[in-house]
Amino acid sequence: MPLQRGYFQEDKMFKRHVALASIGFAMLATTAIAQTSAPSPASPSAPAATPAPAPEKPKVPDNNLAGQGKWRATKLIGVDIYGPDSKKVGDVTEVLFDKTGKIEMVTVGVGGFLGIGSKDVAIPFEQVSWSDEPIVVAAPAPAPSGTGSAGTSGGVASAPPAASAPKAPAMYPDHGKITMTKEQLTSAPAVTYSGS
């Protein structure tokens, strides 16, 4: 019966392999569970382990153009234009480029009422001083105290406006300023667009 004896030996070895594999699997599972459980607090006398620095993430190029000195032409349209006396003379109605993409002129809508009777006047782009800060309008002189007029608040000055929080960089200027007055712009020739 040598044949049966070999069969039993193979069966015994198979059972041994299964038992050893089960023990190995149990040890691996125990190690994995121990790694995911919370670490126990270290004793005060034991030195604290320094955490390994996190690997640096690769630098991704910044695609946000705000704050990089770029302006959007669609946002430039509608920007207020002021004359030398800091009075509004009109607003930008068009931005004109040459074939290379350089801005040559802006047109400013002047005159009229609510868009009726207004005309566009071309101004070379270099002649406009653009500003990101709001235009400063001179405050009216305070009324002399003791006049007793009905519209005063008894000599008590009103509080200055609160400082506004810093805003995110805009992709257009706050306003433009030119050396021409409203009267000069009104008497200037209107822009015509041939073929439109």
Side-chain angles (χ1 to χ4, degrees):
M1 289 211 156
L3 186 61
Q4 278 187 349
R5 187 172 190 201
Y7 174 74
F8 285 119
Q9 283 180 345
E10 284 180 22
D11 188 40
K12 240 183 190 181
M13 288 193 52
F14 177 74
K15 288 181 181 178
R16 213 180 277 161
H17 285 288
V18 170
L20 286 175
S22 298
I23 291 171
F25 178 72
M27 290 174 65
L28 286 174
T30 304
T31 305
I33 291 172
Q35 288 178 353
T36 58
S37 64
S40 62
S43 66
S45 62
T50 57
E56 290 187 32
K57 295 180 181 177
K59 193 98 173 153
V60 178
D62 188 9
N63 292 334
N64 185 355
L65 298 178
Q68 295 184 13
K70 310 278 190 248
W71 287 348
R72 295 175 58 189
T74 56
K75 296 291 186 180
L76 196 60
I77 295 172
V79 169
D80 293 337
I81 301 295
Y82 291 88
D85 55 357
S86 296
K87 291 186 179 176
K88 183 178 173 182
V89 294
D91 45 355
V92 177
T93 57
E94 193 69 59
V95 181
L96 304 171
F97 299 85
D98 67 8
K99 290 181 180 182
T100 66
K102 180 183 175 229
I103 299 176
E104 287 188 348
M105 295 181 208
V106 292
T107 60
V108 177
V110 295
F113 180 72
L114 298 175
I116 300 171
S118 67
K119 66 177 180 177
D120 289 345
V121 176
I123 300 173
F125 190 77
E126 306 84 42
Q127 291 183 10
V128 182
S129 299
W130 301 101
S131 176
D132 293 331
E133 300 297 320
I135 196 150
V136 178
V137 180
S145 61
T147 57
S149 64
T152 63
S153 59
V156 177
S158 62
S164 61
K167 61 180 181 175
M171 293 193 70
Y172 56 94
D174 178 76
H175 69 277
K177 200 165 186 179
I178 58 175
T179 57
M180 298 174 72
T181 64
K182 189 167 191 164
E183 291 76 28
Q184 290 171 323
L185 283 175
T186 305
S187 63
V191 173
T192 58
Y193 303 100
S194 63
S196 60

